[in-house]
Amino acid sequence: MPGPHNGWVAWQAGGKLAKAFAVMNTSAPEIVIVGAGVAGLAAAAAVRAQGRSALVLEAKGRVGGRAWTTRPAELGRVPFDHGASWLHEAEQNPLADLAKAAGRRLLDTERMRSRRLFVGGRLATPAEEDAYRQAYDAIVASVHARAAQGPDISLAEALRPYADNPWAPTIAAWEGAIIAAADAEVLSLKDWAVNSLEGQNLAVPDGLGALVADLLAPQAGEIRLNCPVRLIRWQEPNGAVVLETARGTLHARAAIVTVSTGVLAAGGIAFRPELPAPTQEAIHALPMGLLSKIAFRLREPEQSGLPASCAIFRQRHSFAEPAVIFHARPFGRDSVVSFFGGRTAWDLAKAGPQAAEDFVRAEWRAIFGAGADGWLAPGAVHTEWGTDPEVLGAYCYARPGQAEARARLAEPLAEGRLIFAGEACHTGLGGTVGGAYLSGWEAAQLVASRV
Ligand SMILES: Cc1cc2nc3c(=O)[nH]c(=O)nc-3n(C[C@H](O)[C@H](O)[C@H](O)COP(=O)(O)OP(=O)(O)OC[C@H]3O[C@@H](n4cnc5c(N)ncnc54)[C@H](O)[C@@H]3O)c2cc1C
């Protein structure tokens, strides 16, 4: 087992702060992990499982990164996930196994979810529902087939043969801006296809962020919060990696860096020497998409007539029309969570919370009529991933022609003394907590076997 190190460990779980003091020890950690998101916490646990010492450095005052649950007063103090909320591909998602083993309550989304598809301001007819389902299955299957064969074009280009299908704009918005957090025009078809989520989706009533903090943080050993890393010297003559942080300088045998590609591209951490060209190119080939949420308390949920866990969306009539998806009454609660992504989300992040809320309310009125505006109580909860300097987006996507970039970014540098990990580095579960966990775990095993 690894030895303890200087400092204190703190993590926030479901709003309550837990603090523990680690035993003093002056030895340097063997492996430093930058970032206490899912990838960083998994990496630290894997390093420790190999009998090596680990230290996690985190810029924020909490763990979990993009998996973060709070209990906002505006929503009646029920758990709200600002970032990740579903355990996708549960069959191959290690977090789903960990949660089950810990006896956590998980619910199968497909079993509990209902759906309301709207055409204009009315519910779709059964025939329209069928047409949408058939168009979705046929178009998505054909686009997947094209991804397996042809060159790596954009998802929008692959959808072009279906431009006249009345459901194509809705499918493009769903697969692009909402699921991939980026519009179909900018998405690599192959990256979209290989990271498509087709398995079981599990929902976490107590919050996925709380689950990450509860289950992963205690396995990670020492976590130093409020400790942003500014500079990494990764080719020192003595073989050490030197990390300059806001709280001093650390020496280690290797570093695992799990910050988002948004932070890397913005120069949030400087590297000396500069990163090799293929790594820098991979970072820029994997820009951050943005998915934003605005959550409202639903007044008089019975009056709305909406069933529990109801996905609500409207047919798009053109590829340019922005999309909003509503998740009404999650777990039967009296709230509504709206989701919008891609260019629309970036524009609204710049325009500010009032503009974003006006946009979402206009969509709600377009579906349910002007009277329904009053169903949504004032005082909404907004996510802020686009402007959060430690994340700068929701999750990354590959540009067309750049589907190999995730694998390139994950390649170890300096014989394993510097390695990147996180959702951006996973091919198959890219953009998810499951991918972040696997990437962190695999990077740690590789590093621990080499240094
Ligand atoms: C709105 C939204 C909805 C999502 N929905 C889902 C979902 O339902 N299911 C799903 O599986 N995934 C979802 N995701 C994606 C998922 O949250 C991420 O893929 C995953 O959490 C990324 O984990 P990570 O460890 O790679 O990165 P992060 O969580 O970003 O962790 C990196 C950590 O590094 C820290 N850091 C940054 N800079 C520094 C620095 N200089 N020094 C030290 N630390 C630093 C950050 O503060 C952060 O804690 C969603 C994301 C968003 C934003």
Side-chain angles (χ1 to χ4, degrees), residues 319-346:
F319 287 95
E321 197 182 346
V324 183
I325 306 287
F326 295 96
H327 187 208
R329 306 190 62 203
F331 309 106
R333 293 168 183 156
D334 59 349
S335 55
V336 175
V337 185
S338 61
F339 297 77
F340 49 96
R343 200 176 41 242
T344 304
W346 284 114

PDB file of all heavy atoms in Angstrom, residues 319-346:
ATOM      1  N   PHE A 319     -32.276  22.500 -40.350  1.00  0.00           N
ATOM      2  CA  PHE A 319     -31.038  22.138 -39.666  1.00  0.00           C
ATOM      3  C   PHE A 319     -30.504  23.313 -38.830  1.00  0.00           C
ATOM      4  O   PHE A 319     -29.727  23.106 -37.911  1.00  0.00           O
ATOM      5  CB  PHE A 319     -29.985  21.682 -40.679  1.00  0.00           C
ATOM      6  CG  PHE A 319     -30.298  20.316 -41.251  1.00  0.00           C
ATOM      7  CD1 PHE A 319     -30.986  20.187 -42.455  1.00  0.00           C
ATOM      8  CD2 PHE A 319     -29.927  19.163 -40.587  1.00  0.00           C
ATOM      9  CE1 PHE A 319     -31.296  18.941 -42.972  1.00  0.00           C
ATOM     10  CE2 PHE A 319     -30.228  17.908 -41.093  1.00  0.00           C
ATOM     11  CZ  PHE A 319     -30.917  17.797 -42.289  1.00  0.00           C
ATOM     12  N   ALA A 320     -30.932  24.534 -39.188  1.00  0.00           N
ATOM     13  CA  ALA A 320     -30.423  25.710 -38.466  1.00  0.00           C
ATOM     14  C   ALA A 320     -31.201  25.971 -37.170  1.00  0.00           C
ATOM     15  O   ALA A 320     -30.751  26.741 -36.325  1.00  0.00           O
ATOM     16  CB  ALA A 320     -30.508  26.941 -39.364  1.00  0.00           C
ATOM     17  N   GLU A 321     -32.372  25.337 -37.038  1.00  0.00           N
ATOM     18  CA  GLU A 321     -33.226  25.639 -35.879  1.00  0.00           C
ATOM     19  C   GLU A 321     -32.625  25.020 -34.610  1.00  0.00           C
ATOM     20  O   GLU A 321     -32.350  23.824 -34.564  1.00  0.00           O
ATOM     21  CB  GLU A 321     -34.619  25.037 -36.133  1.00  0.00           C
ATOM     22  CG  GLU A 321     -35.694  25.575 -35.253  1.00  0.00           C
ATOM     23  CD  GLU A 321     -37.044  24.883 -35.541  1.00  0.00           C
ATOM     24  OE1 GLU A 321     -37.172  24.200 -36.582  1.00  0.00           O
ATOM     25  OE2 GLU A 321     -37.940  25.012 -34.723  1.00  0.00           O
ATOM     26  N   PRO A 322     -32.400  25.817 -33.566  1.00  0.00           N
ATOM     27  CA  PRO A 322     -31.812  25.246 -32.349  1.00  0.00           C
ATOM     28  C   PRO A 322     -32.775  24.311 -31.628  1.00  0.00           C
ATOM     29  O   PRO A 322     -33.991  24.434 -31.786  1.00  0.00           O
ATOM     30  CB  PRO A 322     -31.494  26.475 -31.488  1.00  0.00           C
ATOM     31  CG  PRO A 322     -32.313  27.576 -32.029  1.00  0.00           C
ATOM     32  CD  PRO A 322     -32.662  27.262 -33.452  1.00  0.00           C
ATOM     33  N   ALA A 323     -32.212  23.394 -30.862  1.00  0.00           N
ATOM     34  CA  ALA A 323     -33.044  22.380 -30.197  1.00  0.00           C
ATOM     35  C   ALA A 323     -32.925  22.490 -28.680  1.00  0.00           C
ATOM     36  O   ALA A 323     -31.873  22.823 -28.151  1.00  0.00           O
ATOM     37  CB  ALA A 323     -32.588  20.992 -30.625  1.00  0.00           C
ATOM     38  N   VAL A 324     -34.034  22.209 -28.008  1.00  0.00           N
ATOM     39  CA  VAL A 324     -34.044  22.085 -26.546  1.00  0.00           C
ATOM     40  C   VAL A 324     -34.762  20.785 -26.224  1.00  0.00           C
ATOM     41  O   VAL A 324     -35.783  20.464 -26.831  1.00  0.00           O
ATOM     42  CB  VAL A 324     -34.824  23.241 -25.872  1.00  0.00           C
ATOM     43  CG1 VAL A 324     -34.736  23.120 -24.352  1.00  0.00           C
ATOM     44  CG2 VAL A 324     -34.310  24.595 -26.322  1.00  0.00           C
ATOM     45  N   ILE A 325     -34.209  20.030 -25.299  1.00  0.00           N
ATOM     46  CA  ILE A 325     -34.884  18.830 -24.799  1.00  0.00           C
ATOM     47  C   ILE A 325     -35.223  19.095 -23.336  1.00  0.00           C
ATOM     48  O   ILE A 325     -34.388  19.616 -22.590  1.00  0.00           O
ATOM     49  CB  ILE A 325     -33.945  17.591 -24.859  1.00  0.00           C
ATOM     50  CG1 ILE A 325     -33.379  17.386 -26.251  1.00  0.00           C
ATOM     51  CG2 ILE A 325     -34.644  16.341 -24.353  1.00  0.00           C
ATOM     52  CD1 ILE A 325     -34.323  16.871 -27.268  1.00  0.00           C
ATOM     53  N   PHE A 326     -36.429  18.737 -22.935  1.00  0.00           N
ATOM     54  CA  PHE A 326     -36.802  18.880 -21.529  1.00  0.00           C
ATOM     55  C   PHE A 326     -36.897  17.499 -20.889  1.00  0.00           C
ATOM     56  O   PHE A 326     -37.401  16.561 -21.518  1.00  0.00           O
ATOM     57  CB  PHE A 326     -38.170  19.565 -21.405  1.00  0.00           C
ATOM     58  CG  PHE A 326     -38.174  20.984 -21.896  1.00  0.00           C
ATOM     59  CD1 PHE A 326     -38.592  21.282 -23.192  1.00  0.00           C
ATOM     60  CD2 PHE A 326     -37.752  22.021 -21.074  1.00  0.00           C
ATOM     61  CE1 PHE A 326     -38.600  22.587 -23.654  1.00  0.00           C
ATOM     62  CE2 PHE A 326     -37.754  23.336 -21.531  1.00  0.00           C
ATOM     63  CZ  PHE A 326     -38.175  23.614 -22.821  1.00  0.00           C
ATOM     64  N   HIS A 327     -36.417  17.413 -19.676  1.00  0.00           N
ATOM     65  CA  HIS A 327     -36.608  16.196 -18.892  1.00  0.00           C
ATOM     66  C   HIS A 327     -37.491  16.611 -17.721  1.00  0.00           C
ATOM     67  O   HIS A 327     -37.030  17.258 -16.773  1.00  0.00           O
ATOM     68  CB  HIS A 327     -35.245  15.667 -18.431  1.00  0.00           C
ATOM     69  CG  HIS A 327     -35.320  14.342 -17.753  1.00  0.00           C
ATOM     70  ND1 HIS A 327     -34.424  13.925 -16.819  1.00  0.00           N
ATOM     71  CD2 HIS A 327     -36.190  13.332 -17.892  1.00  0.00           C
ATOM     72  CE1 HIS A 327     -34.753  12.716 -16.402  1.00  0.00           C
ATOM     73  NE2 HIS A 327     -35.810  12.334 -17.038  1.00  0.00           N
ATOM     74  N   ALA A 328     -38.766  16.275 -17.838  1.00  0.00           N
ATOM     75  CA  ALA A 328     -39.731  16.760 -16.841  1.00  0.00           C
ATOM     76  C   ALA A 328     -39.915  15.725 -15.738  1.00  0.00           C
ATOM     77  O   ALA A 328     -39.929  14.525 -15.973  1.00  0.00           O
ATOM     78  CB  ALA A 328     -41.070  17.041 -17.507  1.00  0.00           C
ATOM     79  N   ARG A 329     -40.046  16.225 -14.530  1.00  0.00           N
ATOM     80  CA  ARG A 329     -40.332  15.413 -13.338  1.00  0.00           C
ATOM     81  C   ARG A 329     -39.383  14.227 -13.178  1.00  0.00           C
ATOM     82  O   ARG A 329     -39.812  13.082 -13.030  1.00  0.00           O
ATOM     83  CB  ARG A 329     -41.779  14.955 -13.371  1.00  0.00           C
ATOM     84  CG  ARG A 329     -42.768  16.125 -13.527  1.00  0.00           C
ATOM     85  CD  ARG A 329     -44.193  15.705 -13.319  1.00  0.00           C
ATOM     86  NE  ARG A 329     -44.364  15.216 -11.960  1.00  0.00           N
ATOM     87  CZ  ARG A 329     -45.343  14.379 -11.593  1.00  0.00           C
ATOM     88  NH1 ARG A 329     -46.230  13.979 -12.466  1.00  0.00           N
ATOM     89  NH2 ARG A 329     -45.444  13.976 -10.352  1.00  0.00           N
ATOM     90  N   PRO A 330     -38.052  14.485 -13.221  1.00  0.00           N
ATOM     91  CA  PRO A 330     -37.105  13.386 -13.029  1.00  0.00           C
ATOM     92  C   PRO A 330     -37.351  12.688 -11.691  1.00  0.00           C
ATOM     93  O   PRO A 330     -37.533  13.370 -10.681  1.00  0.00           O
ATOM     94  CB  PRO A 330     -35.732  14.085 -13.059  1.00  0.00           C
ATOM     95  CG  PRO A 330     -36.013  15.541 -12.845  1.00  0.00           C
ATOM     96  CD  PRO A 330     -37.393  15.797 -13.342  1.00  0.00           C
ATOM     97  N   PHE A 331     -37.423  11.385 -11.697  1.00  0.00           N
ATOM     98  CA  PHE A 331     -37.699  10.567 -10.501  1.00  0.00           C
ATOM     99  C   PHE A 331     -39.023  10.979  -9.841  1.00  0.00           C
ATOM    100  O   PHE A 331     -39.204  10.812  -8.636  1.00  0.00           O
ATOM    101  CB  PHE A 331     -36.561  10.677  -9.476  1.00  0.00           C
ATOM    102  CG  PHE A 331     -35.199  10.427 -10.074  1.00  0.00           C
ATOM    103  CD1 PHE A 331     -34.310  11.476 -10.299  1.00  0.00           C
ATOM    104  CD2 PHE A 331     -34.813   9.144 -10.428  1.00  0.00           C
ATOM    105  CE1 PHE A 331     -33.068  11.250 -10.856  1.00  0.00           C
ATOM    106  CE2 PHE A 331     -33.559   8.909 -10.982  1.00  0.00           C
ATOM    107  CZ  PHE A 331     -32.694   9.960 -11.200  1.00  0.00           C
ATOM    108  N   GLY A 332     -39.933  11.561 -10.618  1.00  0.00           N
ATOM    109  CA  GLY A 332     -41.227  11.983 -10.075  1.00  0.00           C
ATOM    110  C   GLY A 332     -41.163  13.296  -9.312  1.00  0.00           C
ATOM    111  O   GLY A 332     -42.156  13.705  -8.702  1.00  0.00           O
ATOM    112  N   ARG A 333     -40.007  13.973  -9.348  1.00  0.00           N
ATOM    113  CA  ARG A 333     -39.865  15.226  -8.602  1.00  0.00           C
ATOM    114  C   ARG A 333     -40.558  16.383  -9.316  1.00  0.00           C
ATOM    115  O   ARG A 333     -40.788  16.316 -10.530  1.00  0.00           O
ATOM    116  CB  ARG A 333     -38.371  15.558  -8.446  1.00  0.00           C
ATOM    117  CG  ARG A 333     -37.675  14.542  -7.559  1.00  0.00           C
ATOM    118  CD  ARG A 333     -36.177  14.682  -7.626  1.00  0.00           C
ATOM    119  NE  ARG A 333     -35.561  13.643  -6.823  1.00  0.00           N
ATOM    120  CZ  ARG A 333     -34.323  13.180  -6.992  1.00  0.00           C
ATOM    121  NH1 ARG A 333     -33.555  13.659  -7.943  1.00  0.00           N
ATOM    122  NH2 ARG A 333     -33.848  12.239  -6.223  1.00  0.00           N
ATOM    123  N   ASP A 334     -40.805  17.465  -8.581  1.00  0.00           N
ATOM    124  CA  ASP A 334     -41.500  18.596  -9.196  1.00  0.00           C
ATOM    125  C   ASP A 334     -40.486  19.558  -9.812  1.00  0.00           C
ATOM    126  O   ASP A 334     -40.383  20.709  -9.397  1.00  0.00           O
ATOM    127  CB  ASP A 334     -42.429  19.289  -8.184  1.00  0.00           C
ATOM    128  CG  ASP A 334     -41.678  19.806  -6.969  1.00  0.00           C
ATOM    129  OD1 ASP A 334     -40.490  19.449  -6.806  1.00  0.00           O
ATOM    130  OD2 ASP A 334     -42.266  20.565  -6.188  1.00  0.00           O
ATOM    131  N   SER A 335     -39.736  19.065 -10.786  1.00  0.00           N
ATOM    132  CA  SER A 335     -38.792  19.943 -11.484  1.00  0.00           C
ATOM    133  C   SER A 335     -38.754  19.587 -12.968  1.00  0.00           C
ATOM    134  O   SER A 335     -39.245  18.533 -13.383  1.00  0.00           O
ATOM    135  CB  SER A 335     -37.388  19.838 -10.870  1.00  0.00           C
ATOM    136  OG  SER A 335     -36.952  18.508 -10.855  1.00  0.00           O
ATOM    137  N   VAL A 336     -38.172  20.493 -13.738  1.00  0.00           N
ATOM    138  CA  VAL A 336     -37.980  20.278 -15.174  1.00  0.00           C
ATOM    139  C   VAL A 336     -36.548  20.688 -15.489  1.00  0.00           C
ATOM    140  O   VAL A 336     -36.130  21.796 -15.119  1.00  0.00           O
ATOM    141  CB  VAL A 336     -38.924  21.170 -16.016  1.00  0.00           C
ATOM    142  CG1 VAL A 336     -38.619  21.026 -17.504  1.00  0.00           C
ATOM    143  CG2 VAL A 336     -40.373  20.839 -15.749  1.00  0.00           C
ATOM    144  N   VAL A 337     -35.812  19.818 -16.158  1.00  0.00           N
ATOM    145  CA  VAL A 337     -34.442  20.157 -16.543  1.00  0.00           C
ATOM    146  C   VAL A 337     -34.413  20.305 -18.060  1.00  0.00           C
ATOM    147  O   VAL A 337     -34.833  19.394 -18.774  1.00  0.00           O
ATOM    148  CB  VAL A 337     -33.436  19.062 -16.098  1.00  0.00           C
ATOM    149  CG1 VAL A 337     -32.006  19.508 -16.408  1.00  0.00           C
ATOM    150  CG2 VAL A 337     -33.594  18.741 -14.619  1.00  0.00           C
ATOM    151  N   SER A 338     -33.940  21.456 -18.524  1.00  0.00           N
ATOM    152  CA  SER A 338     -33.813  21.655 -19.974  1.00  0.00           C
ATOM    153  C   SER A 338     -32.354  21.454 -20.377  1.00  0.00           C
ATOM    154  O   SER A 338     -31.448  21.741 -19.584  1.00  0.00           O
ATOM    155  CB  SER A 338     -34.276  23.059 -20.358  1.00  0.00           C
ATOM    156  OG  SER A 338     -33.471  24.025 -19.700  1.00  0.00           O
ATOM    157  N   PHE A 339     -32.156  20.959 -21.596  1.00  0.00           N
ATOM    158  CA  PHE A 339     -30.811  20.730 -22.131  1.00  0.00           C
ATOM    159  C   PHE A 339     -30.725  21.392 -23.507  1.00  0.00           C
ATOM    160  O   PHE A 339     -31.628  21.226 -24.326  1.00  0.00           O
ATOM    161  CB  PHE A 339     -30.546  19.227 -22.366  1.00  0.00           C
ATOM    162  CG  PHE A 339     -30.583  18.371 -21.136  1.00  0.00           C
ATOM    163  CD1 PHE A 339     -31.787  18.002 -20.563  1.00  0.00           C
ATOM    164  CD2 PHE A 339     -29.406  17.894 -20.580  1.00  0.00           C
ATOM    165  CE1 PHE A 339     -31.822  17.191 -19.439  1.00  0.00           C
ATOM    166  CE2 PHE A 339     -29.437  17.076 -19.452  1.00  0.00           C
ATOM    167  CZ  PHE A 339     -30.640  16.726 -18.875  1.00  0.00           C
ATOM    168  N   PHE A 340     -29.661  22.127 -23.764  1.00  0.00           N
ATOM    169  CA  PHE A 340     -29.397  22.633 -25.117  1.00  0.00           C
ATOM    170  C   PHE A 340     -27.893  22.634 -25.315  1.00  0.00           C
ATOM    171  O   PHE A 340     -27.127  22.796 -24.360  1.00  0.00           O
ATOM    172  CB  PHE A 340     -30.024  24.020 -25.328  1.00  0.00           C
ATOM    173  CG  PHE A 340     -29.723  24.994 -24.239  1.00  0.00           C
ATOM    174  CD1 PHE A 340     -28.675  25.901 -24.364  1.00  0.00           C
ATOM    175  CD2 PHE A 340     -30.481  25.021 -23.069  1.00  0.00           C
ATOM    176  CE1 PHE A 340     -28.378  26.800 -23.345  1.00  0.00           C
ATOM    177  CE2 PHE A 340     -30.182  25.918 -22.042  1.00  0.00           C
ATOM    178  CZ  PHE A 340     -29.135  26.800 -22.183  1.00  0.00           C
ATOM    179  N   GLY A 341     -27.473  22.409 -26.552  1.00  0.00           N
ATOM    180  CA  GLY A 341     -26.032  22.198 -26.748  1.00  0.00           C
ATOM    181  C   GLY A 341     -25.488  22.832 -28.014  1.00  0.00           C
ATOM    182  O   GLY A 341     -26.199  23.521 -28.762  1.00  0.00           O
ATOM    183  N   GLY A 342     -24.203  22.592 -28.240  1.00  0.00           N
ATOM    184  CA  GLY A 342     -23.543  23.042 -29.460  1.00  0.00           C
ATOM    185  C   GLY A 342     -23.436  24.557 -29.532  1.00  0.00           C
ATOM    186  O   GLY A 342     -23.340  25.254 -28.520  1.00  0.00           O
ATOM    187  N   ARG A 343     -23.506  25.056 -30.781  1.00  0.00           N
ATOM    188  CA  ARG A 343     -23.322  26.500 -31.019  1.00  0.00           C
ATOM    189  C   ARG A 343     -24.323  27.323 -30.206  1.00  0.00           C
ATOM    190  O   ARG A 343     -23.994  28.376 -29.659  1.00  0.00           O
ATOM    191  CB  ARG A 343     -23.508  26.754 -32.521  1.00  0.00           C
ATOM    192  CG  ARG A 343     -22.906  28.045 -33.039  1.00  0.00           C
ATOM    193  CD  ARG A 343     -23.079  28.135 -34.540  1.00  0.00           C
ATOM    194  NE  ARG A 343     -24.393  27.681 -34.979  1.00  0.00           N
ATOM    195  CZ  ARG A 343     -24.628  26.642 -35.803  1.00  0.00           C
ATOM    196  NH1 ARG A 343     -23.637  25.953 -36.302  1.00  0.00           N
ATOM    197  NH2 ARG A 343     -25.854  26.306 -36.152  1.00  0.00           N
ATOM    198  N   THR A 344     -25.570  26.853 -30.133  1.00  0.00           N
ATOM    199  CA  THR A 344     -26.597  27.583 -29.369  1.00  0.00           C
ATOM    200  C   THR A 344     -26.153  27.768 -27.922  1.00  0.00           C
ATOM    201  O   THR A 344     -26.279  28.851 -27.343  1.00  0.00           O
ATOM    202  CB  THR A 344     -27.920  26.785 -29.387  1.00  0.00           C
ATOM    203  OG1 THR A 344     -28.276  26.565 -30.745  1.00  0.00           O
ATOM    204  CG2 THR A 344     -29.032  27.491 -28.662  1.00  0.00           C
ATOM    205  N   ALA A 345     -25.629  26.697 -27.329  1.00  0.00           N
ATOM    206  CA  ALA A 345     -25.212  26.776 -25.923  1.00  0.00           C
ATOM    207  C   ALA A 345     -24.041  27.741 -25.760  1.00  0.00           C
ATOM    208  O   ALA A 345     -23.998  28.523 -24.797  1.00  0.00           O
ATOM    209  CB  ALA A 345     -24.842  25.387 -25.416  1.00  0.00           C
ATOM    210  N   TRP A 346     -23.084  27.698 -26.700  1.00  0.00           N
ATOM    211  CA  TRP A 346     -21.950  28.639 -26.603  1.00  0.00           C
ATOM    212  C   TRP A 346     -22.433  30.074 -26.726  1.00  0.00           C
ATOM    213  O   TRP A 346     -22.003  30.959 -25.984  1.00  0.00           O
ATOM    214  CB  TRP A 346     -20.908  28.337 -27.687  1.00  0.00           C
ATOM    215  CG  TRP A 346     -20.062  27.133 -27.404  1.00  0.00           C
ATOM    216  CD1 TRP A 346     -20.041  25.959 -28.100  1.00  0.00           C
ATOM    217  CD2 TRP A 346     -19.090  26.983 -26.349  1.00  0.00           C
ATOM    218  NE1 TRP A 346     -19.129  25.088 -27.548  1.00  0.00           N
ATOM    219  CE2 TRP A 346     -18.527  25.689 -26.473  1.00  0.00           C
ATOM    220  CE3 TRP A 346     -18.650  27.802 -25.313  1.00  0.00           C
ATOM    221  CZ2 TRP A 346     -17.550  25.205 -25.601  1.00  0.00           C
ATOM    222  CZ3 TRP A 346     -17.676  27.326 -24.441  1.00  0.00           C
ATOM    223  CH2 TRP A 346     -17.137  26.041 -24.598  1.00  0.00           C
TER     224      TRP A 346
END
